[in-house]
Amino acid sequence: MKPINLKKLAQELDLSVATVSRALNDRYDISQATKDRVRALANKLNYEPNPYASSLRRQKSKTIGVVIPEVANHFFSLAINGIEEVARSNNYHVLIYLTHEDYQRELAMARLLASGRVDGLLVSVASESADFAHLEFLRERGIPIVFFDRVYDEMPTAKVTTDDFESGYKATRHLLEAGCRHILHLAVSQNLSIGRRRMEGYVQALADAGRPYEESLVLLARETKQQDVIQIQQLLEAHPEVDGIFASVESQAMSSYEACRNLGRSIPGDIKIIGFSNLEIAALLDPPLTTITQPAYSIGKEAAKILFLAISKNRVISPTQSLVLKSELVVRASTLPAPQAARPAYTLT
Amino acid sequence: MKPINLKKLAQELDLSVATVSRALNDRYDISQATKDRVRALANKLNYEPNPYASSLRRQKSKTIGVVIPEVANHFFSLAINGIEEVARSNNYHVLIYLTHEDYQRELAMARLLASGRVDGLLVSVASESADFAHLEFLRERGIPIVFFDRVYDEMPTAKVTTDDFESGYKATRHLLEAGCRHILHLAVSQNLSIGRRRMEGYVQALADAGRPYEESLVLLARETKQQDVIQIQQLLEAHPEVDGIFASVESQAMSSYEACRNLGRSIPGDIKIIGFSNLEIAALLDPPLTTITQPAYSIGKEAAKILFLAISKNRVISPTQSLVLKSELVVRASTLPAPQAARPAYTLT
DNA sequence: TTGTAAGCGTTATCAA
DNA sequence: TTGATAACGCTTACAA
C-alpha cells in the first residue's frame, strides 16, 4: 500500500495541494474550518508527510549525525542517550556512524555527509585520525560540528570535554598517595588531545611528587583486547617494580585486571589500579575498581544542545561555547593503601 | 558554501544534467570519454549527490531504522555493531530510535517512519508494548521489518532470537544441580515472548527436578535500578529460604549482587546467581558471574542480513527466514556448588 | 551517445 | 482565504 500524499488529500477534500500543505503546517492564512477538515482527514488516513520531499524543498534534513569510534562502550552509549534525548525533543532524527577507530572509515563517512544529509554533526574522532581535512571540508560546506570528548582542537567550533589534565593528575596523585612508586600509564593515543592532556596530568603529578617520568612505563592500546593483556603482562614482567596502573581507557583497566590475575599479582596488594570508566558495575568487580568517571550522559546532552542552538538560530558555532565538565574520582578497593586491607571483607561497601 | 549539484557540473562541462547524472551512475549509454571528464570534475569539486533528491526520485531512502529499548546495554550495543557492519557494506545509513521501554515513544516513532524515511526496520520491542497495531501499520505501508530478540510473535515476518526456552531451562537446571532448592526468577516482562519462553524454561526445569513452582518467587524489573535492588532485598528477607537467583535481565544480575552485598549474603555460599549477560567483564566480578551469553553481535548481523535480502530483492520477508541462535552457558564462581570453594583463590581462572 | 522534459512530494511565491 | 505554478536536485522515458 502506497503512503498517502498531499495530492490524494487534496483530491478527497476538493482543495488545492497548496492549501492542504498550509493547513497541515498551521499557517495563519488558512481558515480554521479548512484546517479542521484537512486535519481530520489526514488523521483518518494516517497521513505522514514524505520527509525527503520536505527536506529537498526546505533544504533542512531534520536529521543530525553522530560519528563515534564505537558503541559497545559505556561512555559512548551513555553519550548517545543524552544526544538522542535532545534530538527527540527537537523533533530530529539521529544517524549513527561507527568509525571503529579507523581513519579511512571516518573519511568515507565525511564524504557521505557532505551533501545535506544532516543539518549538523556530533563527532568524537577516531584515535587514528591525524589529518582533519575531511572535517574542515564539512564545515566549509556549512555543516555545524560540535566535538565531544575526542576533539579536533584546531577547528574553531565548540567542544565538550572533561577536565582531562586534572583527571590525569588526580588519578596519578591518588596512586602516589596510596603508596605507588612506579606507575604504568595505559594511555590514549597521543594523536588525541584528551590523550595528551591525561598524559600531561600524569607527568605533572609525578613531577610534583618528585618522581621521575619514565617513557618505558607508558603503553598505548593495541588492536585487540587480547593483545592489550599480553602487552601489559610483558611489561609487568619486564618491570617488576611497577606497583600502580593508571588506565586512561576503560577497556585497559579490565585488561590490567586480567594481566594481574594471569601473573598472580594481587590487587591492590601488589599493584593498585585506577581507570577511566563509566561502567556502573565498577563497584562489583574483584576488587572494586577505583575510577575516574566522566559525566557521559551530560556530555552528550550538552554537546547536542549546543548543536541545536546553532541549527535553530542558523548561526555559526563559536569556540567560546565550549564546555569543560568535571570528572569524578570514585575511590574503591583497587587502590586501597594499607596492605592489611588488601582483601576487604565482601560485605563492606 | 553551497554544495555542488548536477546543474553546476553540467554547466561547467557544457553537458546536460541528464548526461552528467548518467555518467556518474556509470550507465552503459554514455561514452567512456564523457564519463571520464565528468568524474574528473566531480572529484575535483568534491561533488556528492543530494541524498534526498535521489531518495525522492527513486523512492528509496538508502536508510534503515533500528528501534531498540536502550543503547546503554551491552546486548544492544553489540547488536548495533552487527547491524551497522551489514548496513555499511550495503551502503546504507542507520537511523537509531530509543524507546526507553516506553510504548508511547515506540508509537510516535512508528508514525515518523511511515512515510518512506526508511527502506526497512530492525525492531526489538519495548517491554511495555502489548498492542502492536503501530507495527502492523508500518508493514501495511510496505516497510519490511525484522524483529530481533524482543519480537512481536504474531507478525508474519522474520525474527532472530536465541533459544530462550532452552536457556531458561539450562540456567535453572544449572542452579538446581549446584544445590539450589528455592530459586528466585528475575523475569523479563511477560508481554514479551522472550520473557514467557525463559519463564517456561524455568518452570519446566523446576518440574523436571520435582520442585514446585512458586509464583511468589518471580519478580519483574522496576523503573529504576535502585527499585530493583530494594525489591530483591525485600524478597530475600521475606523468603530466607531463597538460595539461588536466575536473572533473565543483565541489570538484574547486578542488582542481585548489590542486594546480596547489602544483606550480607555471600555469593555463592548463601545464594548462587546466574544471569543473562553480555558483559565482557562478568569474569572480573566479585565473584565471577555465571552467565547465559547471547550472541548479540551475530543476532544484529543476521537480522540485518535478512532485512537487506528483502530490500535488495524487493520481496516480502517470510517467517520461514527466522533464525534461532544458541546462547552459551558460561559457568563461573557465582554458582560454585561446593561450600568450601565459596571464595575461590584470586589467581584461579 | 546525448538532450529534453516530466516527475518524485513538498513548500514558497504570486495572483486571484 | 485559496489556487496555480515554480522550484528543490535528481532520475528516467522518450526524442533526436
Side-chain angles (χ1 to χ4, degrees):
Chain A
M1 195 181 99
K2 297 268 297 182
I4 316 296
N5 57 25
L6 284 184
K7 206 164 146 190
K8 278 189 209 135
L9 288 183
Q11 281 170 353
E12 197 92 5
L13 291 162
D14 204 24
L15 285 170
S16 75
V17 173
T19 305
V20 176
S21 170
R22 277 176 295 202
L24 289 171
N25 287 303
D26 202 17
R27 294 297 247 274
Y28 66 96
D29 55 3
I30 299 292
S31 76
Q32 194 55 49
T34 31
K35 276 185 188 171
D36 291 344
R37 274 183 67 215
V38 171
R39 283 200 201 121
L41 186 69
N43 273 325
K44 186 175 149 230
L45 300 183
N46 284 308
Y47 169 75
E48 196 63 26
N50 180 310
Y52 299 134
S54 181
S55 291
L56 180 58
R57 183 63 240 237
R58 295 212 227 228
Q59 303 285 56
K60 272 254 172 196
S61 65
K62 285 274 175 184
T63 304
I64 60 167
V66 176
V67 179
I68 53 176
E70 190 56 69
V71 69
N73 166 310
H74 242 66
F75 174 81
F76 287 114
S77 53
L78 287 172
I80 290 177
N81 262 343
I83 292 166
E84 206 263 353
E85 191 67 33
V86 179
R88 214 175 36 83
S89 72
N90 282 277
N91 291 312
Y92 261 67
H93 298 251
V94 180
L95 282 168
I96 290 269
Y97 298 90
L98 307 179
T99 61
H100 296 285
E101 306 285 14
D102 180 343
Y103 170 68
Q104 290 303 326
R105 292 203 192 183
E106 199 172 278
L107 210 64
M109 283 155 193
R111 275 198 72 84
L112 290 173
L113 296 174
S115 253
R117 190 181 292 273
V118 296
D119 295 342
L121 221 42
L122 292 165
V123 179
S124 212
V125 303
S127 60
E128 264 198 9
S129 303
D131 178 66
F132 296 98
H134 56 304
L135 298 176
E136 297 282 9
F137 172 63
L138 290 177
R139 232 178 95 82
E140 281 162 20
R141 284 281 171 101
I143 300 170
I145 300 180
V146 175
F147 290 97
F148 67 100
D149 199 51
R150 293 141 155 259
V151 310
Y152 162 44
D153 264 328
E154 276 68 38
M155 187 180 287
T157 185
K159 292 132 201 163
V160 178
T161 52
T162 48
D163 51 345
D164 289 295
F165 173 84
E166 288 80 1
S167 298
Y169 188 91
K170 264 195 294 189
T172 310
R173 195 184 57 192
H174 177 72
L175 287 175
L176 290 164
E177 286 172 356
C180 298
R181 311 289 291 163
H182 302 275
I183 300 173
L184 166 57
H185 183 199
L186 301 172
V188 175
S189 161
Q190 299 295 297
N191 276 342
L192 301 171
S193 61
I194 60 164
R196 294 192 297 272
R197 299 228 178 88
R198 291 175 191 178
M199 176 70 101
E200 284 158 19
Y202 163 77
V203 171
Q204 186 66 48
L206 289 177
D208 287 359
R211 301 291 311 162
Y213 162 64
E214 295 173 63
E215 210 169 336
S216 56
L217 293 190
V218 173
L219 287 180
L220 294 173
R222 296 297 192 81
E223 291 279 305
T224 70
K225 169 142 198 200
Q226 205 40 49
Q227 290 175 340
D228 281 336
V229 174
I230 291 168
Q231 179 179 232
I232 295 167
Q233 278 182 221
Q234 287 172 344
L235 190 136
L236 290 181
E237 286 186 310
H239 291 271
E241 74 276 16
V242 167
D243 52 7
I245 300 180
F246 164 35
S248 273
V249 191
E250 183 171 278
S251 66
Q252 293 266 53
M254 302 309 132
S255 299
S256 301
Y257 269 55
E258 281 192 29
C260 286
R261 175 193 287 192
N262 292 343
L263 295 176
R265 308 283 178 91
S266 91
I267 310 169
D270 299 330
I271 294 181
K272 303 187 202 312
I273 300 182
I274 184 171
F276 269 80
S277 173
N278 280 88
L279 279 171
E280 285 164 13
I281 55 170
L284 299 177
L285 293 179
D286 180 19
L289 173 67
T290 295
T291 57
I292 298 282
T293 298
Q294 298 177 276
Y297 176 82
S298 300
I299 291 175
K301 191 162 179 170
E302 296 302 326
K305 276 193 197 166
I306 295 171
L307 183 64
F308 279 108
L309 215 63
I311 290 175
S312 62
K313 298 249 192 294
N314 208 16
R315 263 196 325 194
V316 193
I317 301 173
S318 146
T320 61
Q321 294 176 263
S322 293
L323 243 41
V324 179
L325 305 183
K326 277 214 182 331
S327 289
E328 192 186 358
L329 170 64
V330 184
V331 178
R332 299 200 186 86
S334 70
T335 55
L336 264 194
Q340 74 274 14
R343 289 297 299 269
Y346 179 55
T347 49
L348 276 186
T349 300
Chain B
M1 193 182 98
K2 299 265 299 180
I4 317 296
N5 56 26
L6 284 184
K7 205 165 147 189
K8 278 189 209 133
L9 288 183
Q11 282 170 352
E12 196 93 5
L13 292 162
D14 204 25
L15 285 170
S16 75
V17 173
T19 304
V20 176
S21 168
R22 276 177 295 207
L24 290 171
N25 287 305
D26 202 17
R27 293 298 247 274
Y28 67 95
D29 55 1
I30 299 292
S31 76
Q32 194 56 48
T34 32
K35 277 185 189 172
D36 291 345
R37 276 183 67 216
V38 171
R39 284 199 202 122
L41 186 69
N43 272 327
K44 185 173 151 235
L45 300 183
N46 284 309
Y47 169 75
E48 196 64 26
N50 181 311
Y52 299 133
S54 179
S55 292
L56 182 58
R57 180 62 235 242
R58 293 211 229 230
Q59 303 286 53
K60 272 254 174 195
S61 64
K62 284 269 175 190
T63 304
I64 61 167
V66 176
V67 179
I68 52 176
E70 191 56 71
V71 68
N73 165 310
H74 242 65
F75 174 80
F76 287 113
S77 53
L78 287 172
I80 290 176
N81 262 345
I83 292 167
E84 206 262 354
E85 191 68 31
V86 178
R88 213 176 37 81
S89 71
N90 282 277
N91 291 313
Y92 261 67
H93 298 252
V94 180
L95 281 169
I96 289 271
Y97 298 92
L98 306 179
T99 61
H100 297 285
E101 306 285 13
D102 180 343
Y103 170 66
Q104 291 303 325
R105 290 203 193 182
E106 199 173 277
L107 210 64
M109 284 154 190
R111 274 199 73 85
L112 291 172
L113 296 174
S115 254
R117 190 181 292 273
V118 296
D119 295 344
L121 220 43
L122 291 165
V123 180
S124 214
V125 304
S127 59
E128 266 198 8
S129 302
D131 178 70
F132 296 99
H134 56 303
L135 298 177
E136 297 282 8
F137 173 64
L138 289 176
R139 232 179 96 84
E140 280 162 21
R141 284 281 172 100
I143 300 170
I145 301 180
V146 174
F147 290 99
F148 66 101
D149 199 50
R150 293 144 154 255
V151 310
Y152 161 44
D153 264 327
E154 276 68 39
M155 188 181 285
T157 185
K159 292 132 202 164
V160 178
T161 52
T162 48
D163 51 346
D164 289 294
F165 173 85
E166 288 79 1
S167 299
Y169 187 91
K170 263 195 296 190
T172 309
R173 193 183 57 190
H174 177 70
L175 287 176
L176 289 164
E177 287 173 353
C180 298
R181 311 290 291 163
H182 302 276
I183 300 172
L184 167 58
H185 182 199
L186 302 171
V188 174
S189 162
Q190 298 296 297
N191 276 342
L192 300 172
S193 61
I194 59 164
R196 293 193 297 271
R197 297 228 178 89
R198 290 174 192 179
M199 176 70 98
E200 284 159 18
Y202 164 76
V203 172
Q204 186 66 50
L206 290 178
D208 286 359
R211 301 292 309 162
Y213 162 64
E214 295 174 63
E215 211 169 335
S216 56
L217 293 189
V218 173
L219 288 180
L220 294 173
R222 295 297 192 80
E223 290 279 305
T224 70
K225 168 144 200 200
Q226 205 41 51
Q227 290 175 341
D228 281 336
V229 173
I230 291 168
Q231 178 179 233
I232 294 166
Q233 278 181 220
Q234 287 172 345
L235 190 135
L236 290 181
E237 287 185 311
H239 292 271
E241 75 276 16
V242 168
D243 53 7
I245 300 180
F246 164 37
S248 274
V249 190
E250 182 170 280
S251 66
Q252 294 266 52
M254 303 308 133
S255 300
S256 301
Y257 268 55
E258 281 192 29
C260 285
R261 175 193 288 191
N262 291 343
L263 294 176
R265 307 284 178 91
S266 90
I267 311 169
D270 300 330
I271 295 181
K272 306 188 202 309
I273 300 183
I274 184 171
F276 269 80
S277 173
N278 281 89
L279 280 170
E280 286 165 13
I281 56 170
L284 299 177
L285 293 178
D286 180 18
L289 173 66
T290 295
T291 58
I292 297 282
T293 298
Q294 298 175 276
Y297 176 82
S298 299
I299 292 175
K301 191 161 180 174
E302 296 302 327
K305 276 193 198 165
I306 295 171
L307 183 63
F308 278 108
L309 215 62
I311 290 176
S312 62
K313 299 250 193 295
N314 207 19
R315 263 198 323 193
V316 193
I317 301 173
S318 147
T320 61
Q321 294 176 265
S322 293
L323 244 40
V324 178
L325 306 183
K326 278 215 182 329
S327 289
E328 193 186 358
L329 169 65
V330 184
V331 179
R332 298 198 187 87
S334 70
T335 54
L336 262 194
Q340 73 276 14
R343 290 297 300 270
Y346 181 56
T347 48
L348 278 186
T349 300

